Amino acid sequence: MKRKFLVPVILGVFLCILGDGGFGEEMKDFTKESREEKERRMQWWKEARFGMFIHWGLYAVPAGKWGDNTNYGEQIRDEARIPLEEYEKLREQFNPKEFNAREWVVFAKRAGMKYIVITSKHIDGFCLFDSKVTDWDVMSTPFKRDILKELSVACKEEGIKLCFYYAIMDLHHPDYLPRREWEREIRPDTGANFSNYIQYMKAQLKELIQNYGPLGVLWFDAEWENTWTHELGVEFYNYVRSLQPDIIVNNRVDKGRAGMSGFAPAENVGDFGTPEQEIPETGLPGVYWEVCMTMNNHWGYNAEDKNYKSTKELIHLLVDIVSKGGNFLLNVGPMGNGKFPPEAVSGLLQIGEWMKINGESIYGTDPSPFSKPEWGRYTVKRLGNGRVALYLHIFDYKPSLKIKVPITQKPINACLLVDKSQQIEFETDAEGVILKLPYMIEPDPYDTVVRLELEEKFIGTVNWGK
Ligand code: H79
């Protein structure tokens, strides 16, 4: 190459490097991905169907109690209006000596969950990981162990996907805006510069992805204040994906959640919708979605809250969600000593016993092709050989139940998941197949699942979703 060309080329390369902030990151527009590419990226997540949410941080120490009130959770600093210096004292008390990452991961696994989403930072700004850009982290507590690192090692060993929750709102960082109304006087925002906070977020997200990854999902939250914009949503969606292209990002990176459950992918970025504490009546057709829910009434540990959902309720919630094409992210709020609450453990283990027998009717399934029958729910799975399995989730099994499935072909096979060797008899008439349920000494206390194997071509009406 002639010399007079070399100078502009070198200059051009130099400017390109400067242009992306000097970090050499490729700023591609990841929102322009094809449907096939997205399907490939979402595949493990869709197959998984069931994950564990974990809310843990300094708020586990007061365990929901401040002054005379006992109804707080992860938002205790805001709700109880705790001044910053006072809240900071919790850092000296955070010493969960009984924490064992492997034990948590094994509980998730035994429950039949395939991924864990844990709060790397909630709105109190406290980080459960070793962050080089703040001392407001676990390394500055007496515990001084990188909790997320230990979890990432345990998850890799156990084959569980690790995912991080990250709150956009930050009630500790001096540059986060706006201040709470109640603390404006004692903590004025003079000198605060939100763009410094944006840089801080970027540095932390880079730490999380590069030091603990590859991650399954980045689960943003607390995006609702007016300093967060749609433009920032797009920028952060692309930023996170530039660090790990196949990562999945929830819709709360953008402003599109519209209350608790909406998601409008035409106007907003994000890979899936996030209905919180509620199940959409007929799912969210055409988009990926995941319901997050608590086992009792709080996300963060609350020692007084014993209002746990029964195992039957939890399994019915899971089946309801999956039958409509969604994922279920069920929360645990570990205690200040590092253990899961015993009520949560027994629920998880009971769900796990059910999943061991019936998991095939959950993992990798598609939404029900039929409307809700009065005896329970349907899920369906493509078997890849021109056949499908149609699962009948019978919530209160009785052999006298009259179950009529609106299909016009004879099943190739009909059995109970609890004992596949025993064929279920059936009759057919013009409208469908009528099952003759066998007498069972011990029907499943939560949900007895019948499996019908059918030829796919006869289920023309299946709404395969997405
Ligand atoms: O981390 C847990 C909660 O702390 C957090 N998400 C779960 C996973 C949370 N998200 N939202 N909320 C708590 C309640 C917030 C409700 C509101 Fe709003 C924020 C009401 C008004 C502003 C968002 C925007 C919902 C309605 C409009």
Side-chain angles (χ1 to χ4, degrees):
M1 196 186 287
K2 285 203 175 137
R3 219 171 148 183
K4 66 175 176 186
F5 290 117
L6 208 56
V7 174
V9 166
I10 290 172
L11 193 68
V13 168
F14 183 67
L15 286 176
C16 275
I17 293 169
L18 273 187
D20 67 13
F23 295 107
E25 285 144 13
E26 189 193 344
M27 267 310 155
K28 202 171 124 183
D29 186 357
F30 287 91
T31 65
K32 300 275 184 293
E33 158 190 62
S34 73
R35 191 189 149 112
E36 291 70 32
E37 277 173 296
K38 179 163 182 189
E39 263 171 29
R40 220 172 305 134
R41 192 161 54 85
M42 299 298 289
Q43 205 193 337
W44 73 263
W45 187 89
K46 192 191 158 205
E47 170 74 29
R49 285 294 183 227
F50 190 28
M52 176 183 280
F53 218 167
I54 301 180
H55 276 69
W56 205 39
L58 296 181
Y59 42 81
V61 174
K65 183 169 160 57
W66 202 264
D68 292 336
N69 283 328
T70 55
N71 198 29
Y72 301 117
E74 73 292 346
Q75 305 206 14
I76 189 168
R77 172 156 134 66
D78 186 27
E79 290 172 0
R81 305 189 165 191
I82 306 171
L84 195 62
E85 310 81 70
E86 208 172 325
Y87 192 80
E88 280 181 342
K89 291 180 193 154
L90 292 175
R91 180 168 44 183
E92 316 326 314
Q93 295 173 50
F94 188 80
N95 199 7
K97 291 210 172 103
E98 294 178 56
F99 168 71
N100 178 332
R102 174 70 79 105
E103 188 180 85
W104 287 13
V105 174
V106 168
F107 278 141
K109 205 169 159 174
R110 285 181 66 183
M113 294 156 157
K114 302 289 191 187
Y115 59 108
I116 290 177
V117 183
I118 180 164
T119 49
S120 62
K121 181 194 95 162
H122 208 273
I123 65 169
D124 63 359
F126 179 78
C127 301
L128 277 187
F129 62 105
D130 180 5
S131 175
K132 300 299 177 213
V133 292
T134 185
D135 284 337
W136 188 230
D137 71 348
V138 69
M139 302 316 276
S140 311
T141 67
F143 193 55
K144 243 188 158 151
R145 273 163 52 187
D146 187 343
I147 287 161
L148 298 193
K149 180 60 88 184
E150 292 180 22
L151 272 169
S152 91
V153 171
C155 280
K156 279 195 186 105
E157 283 170 4
E158 297 291 340
I160 293 283
K161 286 258 188 198
L162 182 64
C163 312
F164 291 149
Y165 169 107
Y166 188 88
I168 291 167
M169 193 193 270
D170 190 317
L171 306 186
H172 186 273
H173 197 284
D175 290 308
Y176 179 80
L177 291 168
R179 290 284 187 273
R180 312 288 83 207
E181 284 300 334
W182 60 265
E183 68 164 349
R184 271 211 182 137
E185 306 254 302
I186 50 174
R187 197 171 159 246
D189 60 11
T190 22
N193 179 348
F194 194 71
S195 60
N196 289 345
Y197 178 66
I198 295 296
Q199 293 314 312
Y200 174 80
M201 277 182 69
K202 286 193 174 168
Q204 289 206 319
L205 290 164
K206 190 177 221 171
E207 290 179 327
L208 288 171
I209 292 172
Q210 294 188 341
N211 304 343
Y212 304 85
L215 301 178
V217 176
L218 248 166
W219 212 105
F220 287 94
D221 199 8
E223 78 296 1
W224 57 76
E225 299 207 287
N226 61 13
T227 40
W228 196 253
T229 60
H230 167 65
E231 288 67 32
L232 282 168
V234 175
E235 185 179 333
F236 272 75
Y237 180 86
N238 280 321
Y239 177 69
V240 164
R241 289 205 49 203
S242 75
L243 295 169
Q244 188 194 315
D246 68 352
I247 203 166
I248 295 171
V249 184
N250 72 334
N251 65 334
R252 298 187 187 183
V253 69
D254 198 346
K255 303 287 281 186
R257 82 156 114 161
M260 280 309 202
S261 95
F263 182 35
E267 297 99 56
N268 294 107
V269 294
D271 297 318
F272 64 93
T274 48
E276 178 167 326
Q277 304 284 38
E278 63 184 37
I279 302 175
E281 196 61 35
T282 49
L284 296 179
V287 300
Y288 293 91
W289 54 282
E290 171 191 72
V291 169
C292 56
M293 233 181 237
T294 49
M295 287 180 117
N296 53 0
N297 292 342
H298 292 85
W299 298 97
Y301 179 59
N302 181 301
E304 302 268 302
D305 180 359
K306 300 292 176 194
N307 191 25
Y308 282 88
K309 295 174 183 73
S310 68
T311 301
K312 185 165 189 161
E313 262 176 279
L314 293 171
I315 289 174
H316 291 189
L317 288 165
L318 171 66
V319 171
D320 182 0
I321 292 163
V322 171
S323 79
K324 295 171 181 173
N327 278 19
F328 190 28
L329 188 62
L330 180 61
N331 183 69
V332 176
M335 303 186 286
N337 65 0
K339 291 286 184 202
F340 280 4
E343 297 88 344
V345 171
S346 61
L348 292 171
L349 297 182
Q350 285 171 349
I351 295 172
E353 290 302 309
W354 183 86
M355 286 292 277
K356 233 192 289 172
I357 295 164
N358 301 292
E360 69 158 270
S361 67
I362 299 293
Y363 304 125
T365 56
D366 279 302
S368 164
F370 312 119
S371 54
K372 184 193 178 316
E374 74 246 18
W375 41 262
R377 292 276 172 195
Y378 291 105
T379 55
V380 63
K381 177 143 71 183
R382 272 183 282 199
L383 302 175
N385 56 355
R387 293 183 183 178
V388 294
L390 179 68
Y391 298 100
L392 283 54
H393 295 260
I394 306 170
F395 289 167
D396 289 296
Y397 187 93
K398 284 183 226 79
S400 59
L401 265 182
K402 196 145 175 71
I403 291 193
K404 187 170 196 172
V405 185
I407 45 174
T408 52
Q409 62 168 307
K410 278 190 184 163
I412 299 156
N413 189 298
C415 63
L416 288 164
L417 285 191
V418 71
D419 178 9
K420 287 186 170 174
S421 64
Q422 199 189 336
Q423 282 292 306
I424 295 178
E425 289 176 35
F426 51 82
E427 293 167 357
T428 53
D429 69 14
E431 290 115 51
V433 172
I434 301 141
L435 298 180
K436 293 186 189 164
L437 295 178
Y439 178 76
M440 285 172 76
I441 297 166
E442 273 187 279
D444 193 285
Y446 313 124
D447 170 13
T448 307
V449 184
V450 170
R451 179 185 189 275
L452 303 186
E453 196 165 316
L454 306 164
E455 287 197 38
E456 187 170 358
K457 61 182 177 212
F458 290 110
I459 303 209
T461 52
V462 175
N463 166 20
W464 294 115
K466 315 297 183 248

